[in-house]
Amino acid sequence: MKLPNKFLIILLSLFIFINIAGTTFAQNEEQWERIQEALNYYVNKVRSSPRNLPLHRELMEEYTQAGLAAIPVFVYQDAVKRNPKNYIVLYVMGYAYLKQYMQSQLSVGGYLFLERQNSDGKSMIQMSFVENLPYSPLEMAKENLMKALDAKPDFPDAIAAMGDYYMLTDKPDKALSKWQEAVKMDSKCEPAHLSMARFYRAMGRYNEAVSEYQKAISISSRNSARKYLELGITYMNMDDLKKAESALLKARSYDKNMGIIYYKLGQVYAKQGEREKAVDMYRDGKKYDSNNAQAAYDLAHIFLNTNDIKYALMSLERGLTIDAFDDSLSREILSYIEKGTIPAANFLSQLSDFEYSDNFHLHYFLGKLYIKEDNKDLALRHFRSASALNPDHADVHYQLGLLQEETQPELAKEEYQKAAELDPTQLADAKAQADLLFKTAQDYLERGMEAKFIETARKGLALYPNNVDIHLQLADIFKKRADIYRNNGKEEQEKEALEDAVKHYEQAAELQPDPKKWYNLGLLYERQGKIKAVRAYDKAIQLDPDFAKAYYRRGNFRLNYKVGRVNVLVYEPEVAIDDLKKAIEIDPELADAHFSLGKAYFQMDRPEEATAEFAKTVEVDPTNYKAHIYLAQDYANSGDNQKVIFHLTRAAELNDKDVEVLKDLASSLLKYGDEAGLKPAMKALEKAYRLKPDDSEILNNYGYTLYMDRMFTQAIDKLQKALEIRPDYPEANYNIALAYSGTREYDLAKKHWQKVVELKPNSDLASKSREFLKKLAAADAQ
């Protein structure tokens, strides 16, 4: 909905009068009639379609732009009094307060306030500026929106408006959460999509902003001019000038009377080097918005960036003339422009030193002009003046940083940080914005501020996604985090960190392909259990046919990759062998390749070849404890017990946290070793016990070694624990009987030998237990 031109003129003239007066008005009949006409128009429109929420919002937008947000507030205050529990009325009341607050941030001199006054018994409307409203618009907005949600909790429009409230109270995370909640509830919630689009654009997340603008446009044609305008500006921020032009032309097709559309189109044409079209668009814009100095200044900077200095100076003159309301100034500046850049710059510098010393735009422009003229000292002077006049302008700080980067690097970093924390979108183009963010991110990383580095680097990549170094730095950070999470058993966090690492390695490998990047990506895919690891190693080998590790990792992955609940191998072992042999051919000292090849032969039941490869592994790398384990297993099968003990001992030395190795070593020492093996067996079992104190087998064997070392009481303690865990454990019953006999507690020994006979009557242990029981019986008979 678009207000009629005639009515807009009335609203704007009313607003102009209020700004000039700055005091209470509606003191005469004509002024009262204007207020009443604006008020009646609003009431009639909303009454014609009271449940049409887009109509309400559009009217509020129109009145806010005209400086009359007090009228919707006034209208809905009456509606709430009549319908205090109606969720729609409560919602539009809350939304109106949000708009009143937004206007208050733009108006000069205070808030617009509308109230009823009684005069001679008659009710009369009065509008005034007041320095302090009798209420806080933001708090009133929250109160009414919460009431609306109490009445209807699943009301997406009110939830989206709460997001706007949180944004205005500087809680962006809460705001985004509310908008997302509204969209999840209703995918066609236009206000939520539009608010998210504006939020993403402000954050420099332009691709997400574009997506949200497109959704908002597809949902409704209402206010399409404004939506296409903002979409066009977003494309301008992205330096996608063709799409920007298309969106802005769409905006113009919906509203031919909006001056800013022409100004933005002019800026697009100026950036494309189409000077005449740019000037034409600027002139068209002036027909609808004649006093827009900022549009002239913006055009001046674009012409300056495209080295069209004369037109840059002429655009600056337009802005200065509009600001100063001084036609004589215009003629004087233009005369110097005709003389050339240097005379014009000198004259403008004089203006900046005296009568226009407080004009930020003049100093800012001169700073950039003197950079073009390679006069860094004068550029620095004007940018410092501009910074003093407007300390919140990001590009000024960025330019100061660039000028000081070589001579005063620490000051440069401070300026970059200020610019990044303000509004990087003020910079000339997406590349400059990204450059600022990357410089700032690097500074954060150097100072150990990893979280700030990630946040700032991501903003930079949203603008310029092709920075390979930043992608690699982020990938390494997330990989290290994944390692930490894995070590701490935090599986979900590890998974998320790995996903981030993969995403950035993928970008780096695609942007700047080299074998190392693809190899590292393959390793990450392996950790995720993704078959894409093979493709990554393929790429690494294509780029470097002699990359031994890539052949090894591809072969090893194929040897181990399983799918399904029953863990079925995807590749036959034969498929991996060629890769592993190729890796060894390129690098005979690659121990891991020998080990994997040994595993392949082991899976194929080729024991001699497997043993040879495991032996080669420990020859090349004596610290490969898994190869020692396999060798111990191979030699156990062939009956070479001393080699079994040797390799298990080496494995336990290399990794004394592997309980199974410690158990196997102790068992082998007790079974195949001599008396000297008792102490090493006891030591191995002591370590195993510390690692796994509830393992009945460890407790039994540990107890037995203590018994053998005549430490009967300690042996009984461990064997009792084994039997508490597993009462029907024949070996533990037999061993504790031996220990009790050592302490001369024969009745207890007899009980446990009897238990062995009961549990396993046909075993050797039962036979031995019967012998001991006979001896005890004979001793008792004497």
Side-chain angles (χ1 to χ4, degrees):
M1 196 277 301
K2 182 70 179 171
L3 294 181
N5 287 343
K6 179 182 175 183
F7 193 70
L8 266 180
I9 291 168
I10 293 171
L11 290 181
L12 291 170
S13 65
L14 185 58
F15 184 45
I16 291 167
F17 181 86
I18 295 168
N19 271 298
I20 293 170
T23 57
T24 299
F25 82 103
Q27 303 300 320
N28 60 54
E29 195 70 24
E30 182 183 354
Q31 293 161 2
W32 184 87
E33 285 177 0
R34 287 182 177 179
I35 299 169
Q36 196 67 49
E37 187 174 356
L39 184 60
N40 289 342
Y41 182 88
Y42 196 97
V43 171
N44 290 333
K45 288 298 291 186
V46 296
R47 281 182 179 171
S48 69
S49 187
R51 300 182 72 84
N52 187 338
L53 297 183
L55 172 66
H56 285 273
R57 288 192 292 265
E58 193 169 346
L59 278 168
M60 281 188 259
E61 188 70 37
E62 296 282 357
Y63 274 66
T64 300
Q65 287 178 22
L68 298 170
I71 287 180
V73 169
F74 181 78
V75 170
Y76 296 129
Q77 281 173 339
D78 276 355
V80 169
K81 288 176 186 175
R82 294 192 300 272
N83 304 278
K85 295 184 179 179
N86 185 303
Y87 69 89
I88 289 180
V89 173
L90 290 165
Y91 160 68
V92 293
M93 181 76 262
Y95 197 86
Y97 280 125
L98 287 178
K99 289 297 176 184
Q100 187 179 42
Y101 175 78
M102 291 178 192
Q103 182 186 314
S104 76
Q105 301 304 294
L106 300 174
S107 298
V108 177
Y111 301 92
L112 283 169
F113 183 51
L114 193 65
E115 60 184 340
R116 290 190 183 277
Q117 296 287 333
N118 289 321
S119 176
D120 299 329
K122 293 170 63 178
S123 179
M124 178 175 153
I125 306 298
Q126 176 172 295
M127 183 177 280
S128 60
F129 269 122
V130 293
E131 292 301 325
N132 294 293
L133 280 169
Y135 54 79
S136 162
L138 277 179
E139 288 308 306
M140 294 302 293
K142 180 183 179 183
E143 180 182 325
N144 283 275
L145 292 172
M146 293 300 289
K147 287 179 181 177
L149 287 168
D150 285 341
K152 186 174 176 58
D154 58 344
F155 189 8
D157 296 71
I159 292 169
M162 280 302 300
D164 295 341
Y165 163 78
Y166 284 126
M167 196 67 211
L168 291 170
T169 53
D170 199 25
K171 296 173 183 171
D173 290 341
K174 278 192 170 184
L176 186 58
S177 175
K178 286 295 177 185
W179 297 325
Q180 290 170 338
E181 182 184 344
V183 167
K184 188 175 182 180
M185 193 173 291
D186 178 6
S187 62
K188 294 187 176 181
C189 183
E190 183 192 11
H193 286 296
L194 202 51
S195 291
M196 280 196 286
R198 289 165 178 166
F199 168 76
Y200 288 135
R201 180 159 68 91
M203 294 294 290
R205 294 161 64 176
Y206 297 133
N207 287 321
E208 291 162 288
V210 166
S211 175
E212 296 300 330
Y213 277 124
Q214 289 172 337
K215 288 173 187 174
I217 289 166
S218 69
I219 290 166
S220 168
S221 62
R222 287 182 177 274
N223 210 11
S224 288
R226 173 60 59 180
K227 287 184 278 192
Y228 273 113
L229 168 63
E230 293 181 21
L231 177 60
I233 293 170
T234 307
Y235 280 129
M236 289 177 71
N237 292 141
M238 299 169 73
D239 273 349
D240 194 334
L241 299 180
K242 286 297 179 187
K243 286 183 180 178
E245 179 187 7
S246 176
L248 292 168
L249 288 172
K250 277 275 191 183
R252 189 178 65 177
S253 73
Y254 280 98
D255 187 350
K256 291 182 169 59
N257 301 323
M258 196 184 296
I260 188 62
I261 297 173
Y262 295 92
Y263 288 136
K264 289 297 175 183
L265 271 169
Q267 291 173 20
V268 168
Y269 293 135
K271 287 186 174 189
Q272 290 175 329
E274 300 179 75
R275 178 209 301 160
E276 298 306 323
K277 288 178 75 172
V279 172
D280 287 344
M281 284 296 115
Y282 179 78
R283 287 171 180 160
D284 288 343
K286 282 181 65 180
K287 296 174 187 176
Y288 307 103
D289 184 9
S290 59
N291 294 319
N292 194 326
Q294 186 62 53
Y297 292 134
D298 290 343
L299 191 59
H301 284 287
I302 292 170
F303 279 135
L304 197 58
N305 290 337
T306 58
N307 292 314
D308 205 334
I309 307 299
K310 182 176 180 179
Y311 274 79
L313 289 164
M314 291 170 69
S315 299
L316 176 70
E317 172 273 318
R318 278 290 83 211
L320 292 173
T321 302
I322 293 168
D323 270 347
F325 298 100
D326 187 348
D327 288 336
S328 62
L329 170 68
S330 172
R331 290 190 294 273
E332 197 167 5
I333 294 174
L334 288 172
S335 69
Y336 277 101
I337 291 172
E338 290 302 319
K339 296 175 183 178
T341 300
I342 299 302
N346 290 337
F347 177 69
L348 290 169
S349 290
Q350 290 175 28
L351 291 178
S352 73
D353 287 337
F354 298 104
E355 59 263 49
Y356 294 99
S357 61
D358 60 348
N359 188 303
F360 161 79
H361 295 286
L362 180 54
H363 285 290
Y364 179 38
F365 180 89
L366 285 170
K368 285 201 167 182
L369 178 60
Y370 281 121
I371 286 177
K372 291 279 184 186
E373 296 300 314
D374 200 26
N375 191 330
K376 292 184 178 180
D377 291 338
L378 283 177
L380 194 61
R381 179 166 73 84
H382 284 291
F383 280 129
R384 282 174 176 159
S385 296
S387 177
L389 291 166
N390 186 358
D392 294 334
H393 197 281
D395 190 46
V396 171
H397 291 292
Y398 176 62
Q399 299 298 335
L400 282 168
L402 290 174
L403 287 167
Q404 297 172 122
E405 199 167 69
E406 292 182 8
T407 56
Q408 295 176 294
E410 290 307 312
L411 286 178
K413 288 177 182 179
E414 288 179 19
E415 297 294 347
Y416 291 143
Q417 187 175 333
K418 287 176 188 175
E421 290 173 353
L422 289 166
D423 182 8
T425 62
Q426 292 174 348
L427 275 61
D429 53 42
K431 191 173 185 308
Q433 295 164 29
D435 179 62
L436 162 65
L437 292 165
F438 293 144
K439 287 176 185 290
T440 309
Q442 208 60 50
D443 181 44
Y444 283 135
L445 192 60
E446 288 170 7
R447 290 192 281 155
M449 301 168 69
E450 192 175 89
K452 289 292 288 181
F453 168 79
I454 294 170
E455 176 191 348
T456 310
R458 279 174 164 170
K459 288 180 182 178
L461 289 173
L463 297 165
Y464 183 75
N466 296 342
N467 190 312
V468 175
D469 290 338
I470 292 291
H471 280 299
L472 288 174
Q473 286 174 311
L474 284 168
D476 286 338
I477 286 171
F478 287 119
K479 180 182 175 299
K480 287 173 185 174
R481 287 187 174 187
D483 293 340
I484 293 169
Y485 290 136
R486 179 176 58 183
N487 292 337
N488 292 323
K490 297 180 178 180
E491 292 183 7
E492 280 302 311
Q493 292 94 326
E494 180 194 2
K495 182 181 176 182
E496 289 176 11
L498 273 178
E499 286 173 357
D500 282 323
V502 165
K503 178 179 71 177
H504 290 291
Y505 260 122
E506 284 175 336
Q507 288 292 311
E510 292 289 352
L511 289 166
Q512 194 181 80
D514 68 53
K516 185 67 174 176
K517 291 189 187 73
W518 282 106
Y519 175 77
N520 287 335
L521 186 55
L523 296 178
L524 290 174
Y525 283 143
E526 280 199 50
R527 280 183 65 172
Q528 292 181 310
K530 291 183 177 179
I531 203 166
K532 287 198 288 186
V534 171
R535 174 179 168 267
Y537 296 134
D538 287 344
K539 286 273 192 180
I541 291 166
Q542 287 170 15
L543 292 165
D544 181 3
D546 293 326
F547 196 166
K549 283 188 177 180
Y551 285 106
Y552 150 64
R553 292 304 310 193
R554 189 171 70 179
N556 186 68
F557 182 81
R558 286 170 166 167
L559 189 65
N560 293 285
Y561 188 67
K562 299 175 182 178
V563 295
R565 293 182 179 178
V566 293
N567 282 335
V568 177
L569 278 169
V570 173
Y571 301 98
E572 296 294 330
E574 291 88 347
V575 177
I577 285 177
D578 286 342
D579 273 341
L580 296 170
K581 285 184 174 179
K582 181 67 175 178
I584 292 168
E585 177 189 326
I586 296 168
D587 183 3
E589 300 299 303
L590 189 55
D592 288 335
H594 285 289
F595 176 74
S596 290
L597 187 55
K599 281 178 62 178
Y601 287 138
F602 181 83
Q603 290 177 15
M604 296 168 68
D605 198 24
R606 293 159 64 174
E608 291 181 1
E609 290 165 289
T611 301
E613 290 302 328
F614 292 136
K616 184 65 178 177
T617 303
V618 297
E619 177 187 325
V620 174
D621 178 15
T623 65
N624 191 313
Y625 95 99
K626 287 185 178 180
H628 284 291
I629 294 171
Y630 270 101
L631 283 169
Q633 184 176 341
D634 289 351
Y635 290 126
N637 291 334
S638 64
D640 194 336
N641 298 325
Q642 292 311 305
K643 285 187 177 178
V644 171
I645 292 171
F646 170 80
H647 286 291
L648 286 174
T649 300
R650 286 293 292 128
E653 289 170 353
L654 292 165
N655 182 5
D656 63 359
K657 297 294 188 291
D658 191 323
V659 172
E660 295 306 315
V661 168
L662 293 169
K663 286 168 64 175
D664 288 345
L665 172 60
S667 296
S668 297
L669 286 166
L670 292 173
K671 190 173 182 180
Y672 305 123
D674 52 21
E675 288 186 12
L678 178 64
K679 287 292 186 184
M682 187 187 297
K683 186 177 179 181
L685 289 164
E686 185 182 358
K687 287 180 181 177
Y689 169 67
R690 287 201 209 102
L691 293 167
K692 202 172 181 182
D694 296 327
D695 187 304
S696 59
E697 184 183 357
I698 293 171
L699 286 163
N700 174 63
N701 290 342
Y702 190 17
Y704 178 71
T705 60
L706 291 166
Y707 161 76
M708 290 293 290
D709 204 33
R710 304 191 64 78
M711 299 168 69
F712 302 130
T713 303
Q714 294 92 324
I716 291 168
D717 175 64
K718 297 297 181 290
L719 291 162
Q720 280 177 337
K721 288 179 180 176
L723 289 169
E724 286 171 11
I725 296 166
R726 184 179 162 192
D728 58 348
Y729 192 172
E731 287 80 1
N733 277 285
Y734 180 82
N735 289 334
I736 200 170
L738 292 176
Y740 277 131
S741 69
T743 59
R744 299 181 182 276
E745 296 175 83
Y746 298 118
D747 288 342
L748 290 172
K750 185 189 300 184
K751 183 181 76 169
H752 285 286
W753 276 319
Q754 288 171 342
K755 185 73 172 175
V756 173
V757 173
E758 177 188 328
L759 289 169
K760 214 170 182 181
N762 299 320
S763 66
D764 288 341
L765 280 181
S767 298
K768 291 178 182 177
S769 297
R770 289 188 188 99
E771 290 296 324
F772 281 118
L773 288 169
K774 285 180 185 178
K775 290 179 182 179
L776 289 176
D780 289 341
Q782 288 179 355

